[in-house]
Amino acid sequence: MAYRHREFHKLENIGWLRAAVLGANDGIVSTSSLILGVAAAHATHSSIVITGMAGLVAGAMSMATGEYISVQSQADTEQAALATERTEPESDMPSEHRELASIYVDRGLDASLAQQVATQLMAHDALAAHARDELGITDILSAKPVQAAFASAISFALGGLMPLLVVVFAPVDQLILFVGIGSLLFLAILGGLAARIGGANITKGIIRVTFWSALAMGVTAAIGSIFGTLS
């Protein structure tokens, strides 16, 4: 039996990684910003906890819904393209063969070899060949709406739970300080982990996440402080 070498690439993680990182990052930023805004407006500790819990649940559901709709739209587009591609070889096989061969020529094969490859692949599975090489649709990269929605909801909830736990256990008189520092620490860890899994620069990943998150939390806290003073 021939041994088949199997390589694992970072790209295979990109689908679930994108949804999970986006969800966790948004969970931390949204929940901590909401908590900081309410705390800066001088709300009671119980009100801050309730607000944080409500924001966590609402955000998780919103993330799941938005991710599902977005990825399902992509899946619908892919299915429509495949439906069109499925009928084309039946109606005009020579043109489809030339189209596939030209793709392989553009990728570096000489014309005669490209013709042979196109012939063999179309004989084996014409739809799969065109889906992969013409449309760029594969099992790894194809849209999976339920998986993306579930990953977004769970990751948002886990992310949002982090600053919420800080609120529960932190000293009331230093709540803003603990939530701010704790959230930025969580985000730095998340940014570094995401960069490592995706094969990107870890330092840049950490800086990018913490800078924009700190800006979002600072603006929300400032607005809460202003309205808290006016009320």
Side-chain angles (χ1 to χ4, degrees), residues 43-54:
T44 63
H45 186 265
S46 60
S47 296
I48 296 173
V49 173
I50 293 173
T51 300
M53 292 179 62

Side-chain angles (χ1 to χ4, degrees), residues 155-170:
S155 57
F156 184 100
L158 292 176
L161 188 61
M162 295 179 185
L164 190 58
L165 289 175
V166 174
V167 172
V168 174
F169 295 105

